[in-house]
Amino acid sequence: MNRIPKKNYLKGKTVFVVSILVILATFLTVWLTGINYNRAVTANLYLSLSIIGLILFLFMAYCLYKGVGLQDDFPKYKSYKAGDLFAHDINGTFKTPDADVGAGIGGLLLSIVLWIVMTLALIVLMLLLEALFWFSLFIIILMLYWVFFRALKLVFTKSNKTVGNLLLSISHSFTYTLLYLGWIFGIVYLSTLV
């Protein structure tokens, strides 16, 4: 009885969490090794990219050698339609209300009340801006997850050919590592020339 070997799959969320841990480990390594040295920013970038590149290369080589695939567990947002978030029209002009309260004790008390109301309104606006910031950060993280997941999924489509072949796994891993990080090295190098 011939059995087809079961293919191993990594979940996209697991890969993303591991990549965040690698970035944190890289940051800590660069920071801890740079405490006693005054390295340039480009030297720190080269060191960071080298660490990330080495880990990415080893990860891809191992997964290609073992024949690992990626399971798509990315959340689906297909029900969203453009324009649903803000359905009202914002083409009109915004006019600020006039806050002339007059003179005397009544005007003083009314201006204090208006001052408290405006302070509370500014606090609410700041909370809304913070929520907008975190929402934007969430969207950026989702975009990075999607790009990173798609890039690795492209690499792991070769795992059927490279399973059990160490030399082929290493060559594919080296090629994709060079493609994914080489352009960043190029940008850092060009920035030193300017």
Side-chain angles (χ1 to χ4, degrees), residues 61-128:
Y62 175 78
C63 289
L64 286 171
Y65 180 73
K66 289 293 187 179
V68 172
L70 278 181
Q71 181 179 359
D72 188 1
D73 58 351
F74 188 74
K76 306 292 184 228
Y77 295 106
K78 295 189 184 223
S79 62
Y80 173 75
K81 292 181 182 129
D84 282 351
L85 190 58
F86 299 111
H88 59 279
D89 187 22
I90 311 178
N91 289 334
T93 60
F94 180 73
K95 296 181 181 177
T96 58
D98 187 17
D100 187 19
V101 292
I105 192 76
L108 177 66
L109 291 175
L110 190 56
S111 65
I112 290 173
V113 170
L114 285 175
W115 176 69
I116 291 171
V117 168
M118 287 305 293
T119 302
L120 291 175
L122 286 175
I123 289 172
V124 169
L125 282 174
M126 288 175 66
L127 290 173
L128 288 175

Side-chain angles (χ1 to χ4, degrees), residues 13 17 21 25 33 44 68 78 87 94 112 114 124 132 187 193:
K13 290 178 185 175
V17 168
L21 291 175
T33 60
N44 283 333
V68 172
K78 295 189 184 223
F94 180 73
I112 290 173
L114 285 175
V124 169
L132 182 66
I187 289 173
L193 297 177

Side-chain angles (χ1 to χ4, degrees), residues 7-16 18 59-60 62-64 66-73 145 148-149 152-153 156:
K7 188 169 184 165
N8 297 324
Y9 285 97
L10 288 175
K11 292 187 182 224
K13 290 178 185 175
T14 306
V15 172
F16 186 70
V18 169
F59 174 73
M60 287 191 302
Y62 175 78
C63 289
L64 286 171
K66 289 293 187 179
V68 172
L70 278 181
Q71 181 179 359
D72 188 1
D73 58 351
Y145 168 77
F148 188 70
F149 178 79
L152 282 179
K153 190 164 183 138
F156 293 152

Side-chain angles (χ1 to χ4, degrees), residues 169-190:
S169 298
I170 288 174
S171 68
H172 278 295
S173 178
F174 181 74
T175 302
Y176 282 111
T177 303
L178 193 65
L179 285 173
Y180 291 152
L181 291 179
W183 65 275
I184 301 174
F185 274 106
I187 289 173
V188 173
Y189 175 72
L190 289 176

Side-chain angles (χ1 to χ4, degrees), residues 18-34 39 42-60 177 181 184-185:
V18 169
S19 66
I20 295 296
L21 291 175
V22 166
I23 290 170
L24 287 175
T26 303
F27 170 76
L28 287 175
T29 303
V30 170
W31 181 65
L32 291 174
T33 60
R39 288 193 301 248
T42 53
N44 283 333
L45 282 171
Y46 283 136
L47 181 62
S48 301
L49 289 173
S50 299
I51 292 170
I52 291 172
L54 178 68
I55 293 171
L56 182 66
F57 168 75
L58 293 173
F59 174 73
M60 287 191 302
T177 303
L181 291 179
I184 301 174
F185 274 106

